[in-house]
Amino acid sequence: MPELPGSPPPIFTLRAPRVNERALLDLAHTFKLKASEQAGSTSRDASTFTYSEGAFDLTLHRASGAFRFKDRTRWQIDHRSNVELSDEDAVKLARIHLSRYKLLPEDSKVLRVSRLHVATAGPDRKMQDHRVIDVAVCLQPVVRGVPVDGPGGKVIVYLDHEGKMTCLDHISRRPGPVYRKVTRLHSPEHAVDAAKRTWAARGVSEAEVREIRLCYYEMGWNDEQRYLQPAYIVLAMLIGRDERIKTGDIYVTPAAVNPVGRIVAPAPARRGAQKPRKEPGGDDRPTRPHQAG
Amino acid sequence: MTTVTVGVEWINDFHSDACSQNQLIYMNTHAEGFRDSMVSNGHTSVFDWGDDNAWETDFRNPASGSGGDALNWSDNVNFCYFADHGGNWSNIMHIAFSKSHNECLGSSDTWKLGAKNLKWLVLDVCDGTLDTTASAVVDVWGGPMQGVHIVFTFVNTTSPWSSSEGSDFGSDAGSGQALSNAWLDRTYSSSIANSPIAIAAGATQDEAINRRENETINWRDYSVTSTSWLAWKWRY
């Protein structure tokens, strides 16, 4: 069970992100790019602006203000090297890179250090050429002693074998003023009970709760979010009647007894049920275009 | 850009019968989101079968009997996205169906992926591999991959954290980005420490590596002549 803070953490208003082409170029300056229409180019789609200069792409998301700065010639690319950095060294380097760009959160903790691996095997079925292409350090900001979690709430630095940054993901909204004091937090057990009710409604016969986190919940790259509020995340393994079939599950619920608005992004509307499919030879088969190779 | 044909299958709702499994969420949005993103990039949707309309026979090769109809469905498109429950035992991948047509579980020992048109298969399910050792990857996938270029799936269990994983991947794949890197980028989450994996085939080690690192949908007609080598890439 997570340790609860001495006093309930408040609900914050989130500032509307400054997202336009001027903001994109300002951000590009932060990364030491020339950031001009002469030196690079800007492209747009429904959810992002991207400024490209040389090997670098800087993509700014309209809804969240989150951004990714990547070297497309090096990020995730196998240049036949092998990263041997320890977790500790990688975290130190990540913090140095973030400080250099003035992007290190005021308070943060390491959520995870992951690695991008490659391997092959041939007719002898033995693993060959197993290497690590990058190490990714994921920091989660901490607000009033509570870590930020969710699809957002992350600053991730990807490092190559020389400790150089190949990509930076910044999906961390800036809290504004306190919107509402939280009078009391639900207990973690309350969250687990709510999760169990949801699973029961889904016909889940057995669930193993693996972890319960208290966090400030932040949504993803393309979600608008107005408030940052405390939440419980319940991570579980759902086991089917055939015990060989399992799946992970994540249940998110407000931790405050007086939450505001929606805590997770709404699920997309489900399309109407499909008409029952007919047996082969029936007339429901779509007309297939000519198949290439 | 090369255009490709797309088919998707997904299951959220199971029944209290012989095929019973825990209900799922988001599988429709993953699969149909992928399809919609591909279509918005100019590719062609051929089928979308959900819940009881998704059938085991759509993946079974006719040579395996029992009404195997893969050549008209999963293997009649270039890119197939399947979102559901999965399980992996006895070096055989299994996928669960809500209706027995003709089995509740599809088994990879009845598949010949790529025998006709299939180039890329997403198995958005748990247990695509149990780990990342050569035996876990090759013993399960060396047999079923018979012409398919890359299989995209997960090591061990995963959790549907976001409804947009399929559409995000489809957006990258459909616009010509390197497929393996797009899969790993769009489906990995530091919060839940899941482990997406891409497994590429080739007649030689260099070919398998080249596909793993560089293949895009523009490689549709660059056929895998034999699956002598597998090259895989995963984040964990």
Side-chain angles (χ1 to χ4, degrees):
Chain A
M1 293 288 174
E3 196 175 320
L4 302 189
S7 60
I11 296 170
F12 292 95
T13 304
L14 287 171
R15 299 178 199 281
R18 180 174 162 250
V19 181
N20 52 42
E21 296 194 20
R22 185 66 253 162
L24 179 69
L25 293 179
D26 289 348
L27 196 54
H29 273 299
T30 306
F31 291 108
K32 322 290 184 203
L33 299 183
K34 290 177 185 159
S36 68
E37 289 301 330
Q38 294 73 41
S41 61
T42 301
S43 58
R44 306 146 193 90
D45 65 26
S47 55
T48 61
F49 298 100
T50 298
Y51 174 73
S52 300
E53 181 179 314
F56 299 101
D57 290 336
L58 174 63
T59 299
L60 181 59
H61 289 251
R62 296 172 193 261
S64 62
F67 57 87
R68 165 174 281 175
F69 174 62
K70 73 176 182 191
D71 179 339
R72 65 177 170 279
T73 63
R74 293 192 299 136
W75 181 56
Q76 293 189 308
I77 305 293
D78 182 9
H79 288 298
R80 315 293 301 169
S81 53
N82 182 39
V83 180
E84 293 177 349
L85 290 169
S86 67
D87 284 9
E88 294 72 22
D89 288 345
V91 170
K92 273 185 213 162
L93 282 167
R95 289 188 186 277
I96 289 169
H97 285 296
L98 289 169
S99 296
R100 179 180 166 218
Y101 297 123
K102 298 186 170 52
L103 291 171
L104 183 64
E106 241 172 66
D107 189 8
S108 64
K109 59 184 275 198
V110 177
L111 175 62
R112 199 167 307 281
V113 178
S114 66
R115 288 173 171 77
L116 182 59
H117 301 256
V118 291
T120 66
D124 63 1
R125 298 179 172 236
K126 290 186 179 158
M127 187 184 275
Q128 298 182 30
D129 196 31
H130 178 201
R131 288 172 293 106
V132 172
I133 291 177
D134 76 28
V135 56
V137 176
C138 178
L139 301 179
Q140 55 183 161
V142 175
V143 177
R144 301 265 181 116
V146 177
V148 185
D149 206 334
K154 292 172 182 61
V155 181
I156 306 175
V157 177
Y158 300 80
L159 302 164
D160 69 8
H161 65 291
E162 294 176 317
K164 292 181 179 164
M165 190 177 85
T166 60
C167 182
L168 188 157
D169 287 343
H170 190 283
I171 175 165
S172 178
R173 295 161 173 87
R174 259 179 62 204
V178 170
Y179 174 78
R180 179 183 288 176
K181 287 185 180 171
V182 169
T183 51
R184 184 170 59 82
L185 291 179
H186 288 298
S187 67
E189 290 83 359
H190 180 272
V192 173
D193 288 344
K196 285 180 176 170
R197 283 194 297 275
T198 302
W199 294 326
R202 282 169 52 192
V204 173
S205 50
E206 187 182 350
E208 287 175 3
V209 174
R210 298 282 172 93
E211 190 180 352
I212 305 160
R213 298 179 191 161
L214 173 67
C215 66
Y216 273 109
Y217 190 81
E218 190 171 334
M219 296 186 204
W221 295 92
N222 294 316
D223 298 314
E224 287 182 8
Q225 185 175 355
R226 293 176 59 191
Y227 307 103
L228 188 67
Q229 56 185 321
Y232 287 111
I233 297 179
V234 181
L235 301 171
M237 182 71 68
L238 308 184
I239 300 159
R241 285 183 195 158
D242 178 345
E243 293 181 353
R244 298 170 298 185
I245 304 274
K246 301 172 184 173
T247 187
D249 198 71
I250 305 162
Y251 179 77
V252 182
T253 186
V257 297
N258 55 334
V260 57
R262 175 181 283 282
I263 199 137
V264 296
R270 195 161 167 179
R271 294 168 205 204
Q274 296 184 348
K275 286 195 296 186
R277 180 178 173 187
K278 295 177 183 172
E279 290 295 321
D283 59 5
D284 63 334
R285 287 175 171 259
T287 304
R288 284 184 292 277
H290 171 72
Q291 297 292 304
Chain B
M1 185 181 327
T2 304
T3 58
V4 303
T5 51
V6 178
V8 303
E9 299 205 7
W10 50 271
I11 299 162
N12 282 327
D13 297 334
F14 292 84
H15 315 289
S16 297
D17 58 16
C19 296
S20 172
Q21 300 288 348
N22 291 325
Q23 308 290 74
L24 287 165
I25 53 174
Y26 291 151
M27 296 298 99
N28 57 321
T29 54
H30 282 201
E32 292 179 335
F34 173 79
R35 182 195 65 164
D36 292 348
S37 290
M38 293 293 286
V39 168
S40 72
N41 277 285
H43 304 289
T44 306
S45 173
V46 175
F47 63 87
D48 170 11
W49 294 127
D51 289 331
D52 288 357
N53 283 341
W55 293 347
E56 173 268 339
T57 49
D58 296 340
F59 293 84
R60 178 190 290 266
N61 185 274
S64 295
S66 293
D69 202 19
L71 301 184
N72 285 315
W73 299 101
S74 60
D75 220 316
N76 197 35
V77 292
N78 303 133
F79 217 137
C80 183
Y81 192 113
F82 182 82
D84 179 26
H85 281 297
N88 191 326
W89 55 87
S90 307
N91 286 331
I92 298 170
M93 181 68 211
H94 299 83
I95 52 178
F97 291 87
S98 59
K99 176 179 175 178
S100 179
H101 188 289
N102 293 325
E103 301 284 346
C104 294
L105 292 178
S107 301
S108 60
D109 58 349
T110 68
W111 302 346
K112 294 182 189 295
L113 306 170
K116 192 177 175 189
N117 286 322
L118 186 66
K119 311 302 177 189
W120 307 286
L121 173 65
V122 174
L123 285 177
D124 184 358
V125 301
C126 294
D127 289 349
T129 68
L130 294 180
D131 59 48
T132 54
T133 60
S135 58
V137 175
V138 178
D139 290 352
V140 174
W141 290 108
M145 292 179 73
Q146 299 203 9
V148 71
H149 299 187
I150 307 177
V151 171
F152 308 91
T153 185
F154 292 94
V155 183
N156 274 319
T157 56
T158 189
S159 306
W161 187 229
S162 151
S163 62
S164 67
E165 288 172 10
S167 60
D168 291 342
F169 177 57
S171 176
D172 289 350
S175 62
Q177 296 191 34
L179 293 166
S180 299
N181 288 343
W183 175 250
L184 301 180
D185 175 35
R186 294 301 200 164
T187 56
Y188 177 77
S189 167
S190 298
S191 280
I192 56 175
N194 61 348
S195 186
I197 185 170
I199 304 164
T204 64
Q205 184 184 33
D206 285 348
E207 182 194 335
I209 290 173
N210 195 17
R211 291 185 188 280
R212 179 189 72 198
E213 295 303 316
N214 301 308
E215 180 152 313
T216 69
I217 53 168
N218 293 321
W219 295 35
R220 182 193 65 186
D221 300 330
Y222 172 27
S223 297
V224 171
T225 54
S226 80
T227 306
S228 302
W229 284 82
L230 293 178
W232 59 102
K233 188 172 194 175
W234 73 101
R235 184 173 288 285
Y236 186 69

